[in-house]
Amino acid sequence: MEQQKNTQTKERLEFRGGWAMAFLPVAIFLFFCILYFVVFKAFEMYALAMGAFVGLLAGAMFVKKGQYDRFWEAVYEGAKEAVPIGILLLIIGMFASMIKAADISSGFVWLADYFHVSGGLFTAFTFFAVCVIATATGSSLGTMFTCFPIFYPAGILLGSNAPVLAGAIVGGAIFGDNLAPISDTTIISAGTQEYRNRPGTADVGGCVSTRLKYSLVAATFSFVLFWVSGGGGTAGAGGEEILAGNRNPATLIMLIPVAVMLVLAVKTRNIYKAITAGILLGTAIGLGSRLLTFADVISIQDGVPAGFLTDGISGMMATVVLVLSVYGIMGVLTAAGVLDRIAEAILSSRLGKSARGAEVAMMLGISVTTLIFGGVTSASMATFGKIQNEIGRRAGLHPYRRANLLDGFANAIVLNVPFLSVFVFIGTSLTEGYDMAAPLTVTQVGGSMFYSMMLFLVLLFSVITGWGRDYEGENGEPVRGKKERKEKAAGRKSVLEA
């Protein structure tokens, strides 16, 4: 809102060659996305941030005379909106690093070994375990790198179907990315959706509580699919040994701070309180149970700061810089009036005539943007989120609903596209190097990511039927569609009587 007011009082940013030149930073950013993720297969967020800043430097060269300073003012205005998101991401990084340091995945490995699960049931169990781990850490890519070396080789030796097992691990990671209150995508999707009738943006706790139904329904269908189709592999010797070598039931106690953090985030709608309680309780439990040492909290190793507090900050820094750079680009597009043009074009079309049509436009917009960005969901949400915010506000949709559709469709079936998804690329690369199974192809992994498929179908059903569609009330509270229609009818009746 503040940025919109500022742009109204300042001159519009103009480019040599027309307003379309405002997309030059975006085009250069996309070039680096493809170069690093598709060509080099280097999955580093700071490299994408570099591409965004190079794009901004290039774009500044094409502004009209006398507007060079105005260009960088627009970048600052855009990046300023990302500061609250960046601060929250850094704080959340400490909690995620703490859970990772406690090695909670070994507790789920112990459960699988204890109950002697194998074949399709092991594949479904792996999906469930990775969902919990990803929700606890809030990092989809980090979860994949952690879980593949443990669950994938063990599952192959226990008779799981290799492509489906890989799809279960990737799908579980996406589940956590979509739902976790400490996920960067959850924070970005909430932080981009503003209220119409009061200041501020959607709170993370409210978004999580209202999107839970979509994620759980999709996860339930996915669990069944993984169970039914996840077996049939050739079991071999060694699976039990791999599980036994990575099992530690004591780590499951770290689910307590995770549960406390989730409950507080939903009940208090204050993610800062939830994270603070989670870090304090998790540190106490970890130290008390000897899963963590004081060196795991904060220490110096070979002259370098170590421990989950500093690791959490450094591990999240690349994502924070990426978000700042993308928001800077959005500031330029806003100052040039491009985002308004796009929003007006959508709202003036047939899709803009109803709430359902607006939601279809949102679905198409974030899906295409995520495809273009190679499945980098944090960047695609930061980019299209501003447009979705304007479309949804004019349609009267509640910020929770807009944030849930933004995050949901970005993490849905578009991530299955074999040659345009970082999740497929990483999932495929992590199946290499195991002698007991041939490396998988991107089409095999992309075709087995059932969760993102199911999430798309659940959300599409929601858009078509209106299930879960809330409007924004006078004070910003969610109002159900039927209730709103009744209130409007009562209002019309009172006017006629008067």
Side-chain angles (χ1 to χ4, degrees):
M1 290 290 292
E2 182 181 347
Q3 183 179 348
Q4 290 176 349
K5 291 178 181 178
N6 288 339
T7 53
Q8 288 176 358
T9 58
K10 294 181 179 180
E11 61 177 330
R12 174 158 291 185
L13 191 60
E14 297 181 342
F15 290 81
R16 295 195 298 270
W19 63 269
M21 287 300 296
F23 283 106
L24 181 61
V26 178
I28 294 175
F29 175 66
L30 294 180
F31 167 77
F32 280 104
C33 284
I34 297 172
L35 179 66
Y36 279 101
F37 280 8
V38 179
V39 180
F40 295 155
K41 291 183 171 57
F43 311 109
E44 294 289 354
M45 294 299 178
Y46 67 82
L48 300 188
M50 175 276 295
F53 283 117
V54 169
L56 286 171
L57 290 171
M61 299 171 62
F62 289 88
V63 295
K64 287 189 175 182
K65 186 177 180 180
Q67 287 200 323
Y68 188 82
D69 290 342
R70 174 73 185 97
F71 177 92
W72 290 106
E73 285 180 12
V75 174
Y76 301 152
E77 289 166 3
K80 185 169 60 177
E81 291 192 11
V83 171
I85 295 175
I87 292 173
L88 187 53
L89 286 173
L90 292 173
I91 294 173
I92 280 169
M94 293 187 286
F95 180 86
S97 185
M98 177 187 70
I99 297 300
K100 183 178 179 181
D103 192 23
I104 196 172
S105 59
S106 61
F108 287 99
V109 170
W110 173 82
L111 283 175
D113 184 50
Y114 182 82
F115 289 104
H116 303 289
V117 297
S118 61
L121 182 56
F122 182 84
T123 303
F125 174 83
T126 296
F127 171 69
F128 167 77
V130 178
C131 282
V132 176
I133 295 168
T135 303
T137 62
S139 171
S140 54
L141 300 185
T143 297
M144 289 166 64
F145 280 104
T146 301
C147 293
F148 257 100
I150 299 174
F151 290 102
Y152 185 74
I156 297 301
L157 293 172
L158 292 173
S160 294
N161 181 289
V164 180
L165 178 61
I169 297 174
V170 178
I174 294 172
F175 174 92
D177 209 19
N178 171 232
L179 184 63
I182 60 174
S183 164
D184 58 346
T185 64
T186 302
I187 295 166
I188 292 171
S189 64
T192 55
Q193 303 309 302
E194 301 170 328
Y195 283 94
R196 180 180 57 178
N197 297 322
R198 66 180 175 86
T201 60
D203 59 274
V204 173
C207 290
V208 171
S209 63
T210 52
R211 83 177 48 163
L212 185 64
K213 54 181 174 291
Y214 310 122
S215 301
L216 289 183
V217 170
T220 300
F221 282 114
S222 301
F223 183 90
V224 174
L225 288 173
F226 285 126
W227 192 345
V228 171
S229 60
T234 303
E240 293 83 356
E241 287 76 4
I242 293 177
L243 291 177
N246 292 279
R247 64 181 184 177
N248 183 6
T251 63
L252 292 175
I253 197 174
M254 293 301 289
L255 290 176
I256 295 176
V258 173
V260 169
M261 181 273 295
L262 291 172
V263 171
L264 284 178
V266 172
K267 291 186 71 67
T268 67
R269 304 293 174 88
N270 190 315
I271 190 64
Y272 293 101
K273 290 182 180 179
I275 291 299
T276 302
I279 291 176
L280 292 175
L281 182 60
T283 302
I285 291 176
L287 293 174
S289 61
R290 298 186 178 180
L291 291 172
L292 299 173
T293 66
F294 283 104
D296 292 322
V297 180
I298 186 168
S299 60
I300 296 291
Q301 295 182 6
D302 299 325
V304 178
F308 70 74
L309 292 176
T310 54
D311 289 346
I313 296 294
S314 61
M316 195 62 78
M317 189 61 71
T319 301
V320 171
V321 175
L322 173 63
V323 171
L324 283 171
S325 64
V326 172
Y327 266 72
I329 293 177
M330 290 304 101
V332 171
L333 294 178
T334 300
V338 174
L339 296 185
D340 287 337
R341 284 175 177 266
I342 296 174
E344 287 293 343
I346 294 173
L347 291 168
S348 61
S349 68
R350 288 187 178 182
L351 295 177
K353 305 302 181 185
S354 65
R356 182 184 292 110
E359 291 184 348
V360 171
M362 295 175 183
M363 174 187 72
L364 297 175
I366 185 57
S367 297
V368 171
T369 305
T370 304
L371 277 175
I372 293 174
F373 279 45
V376 185
T377 50
S378 56
S380 68
M381 289 184 205
T383 301
F384 190 77
K386 307 294 291 182
I387 300 174
Q388 178 137 324
N389 176 62
E390 188 61 28
I391 297 172
R393 288 178 68 228
R394 296 196 192 184
L397 296 171
H398 195 275
Y400 293 166
R401 175 69 170 181
R402 289 182 254 142
N404 293 340
L405 294 181
L406 181 70
D407 198 310
F409 281 117
N411 281 292
I413 201 168
V414 292
L415 298 186
N416 294 62
V417 179
F419 299 99
L420 291 173
S421 171
V422 63
F423 288 89
V424 176
F425 279 121
I426 293 178
T428 303
S429 66
L430 291 176
T431 64
E432 300 175 357
Y434 300 106
D435 296 334
M436 75 288 291
L440 301 179
T441 65
V442 290
T443 53
Q444 286 178 306
V445 174
S448 302
M449 291 162 52
F450 297 147
Y451 174 73
S452 46
M453 298 179 190
M454 292 300 102
L455 182 61
F456 175 79
L457 293 177
V458 169
L459 291 175
L460 182 62
F461 172 82
S462 174
V463 169
I464 294 174
T465 63
W467 174 50
R469 180 182 296 142
D470 288 337
Y471 296 87
E472 184 179 349
E474 290 299 324
N475 298 317
E477 76 281 0
V479 177
R480 293 293 179 192
K482 291 183 179 179
K483 181 179 178 181
E484 186 199 58
R485 285 194 291 270
K486 289 180 180 179
E487 290 176 348
K488 286 184 176 180
R492 285 195 297 268
K493 184 177 179 181
S494 62
V495 170
L496 289 173
E497 288 175 350

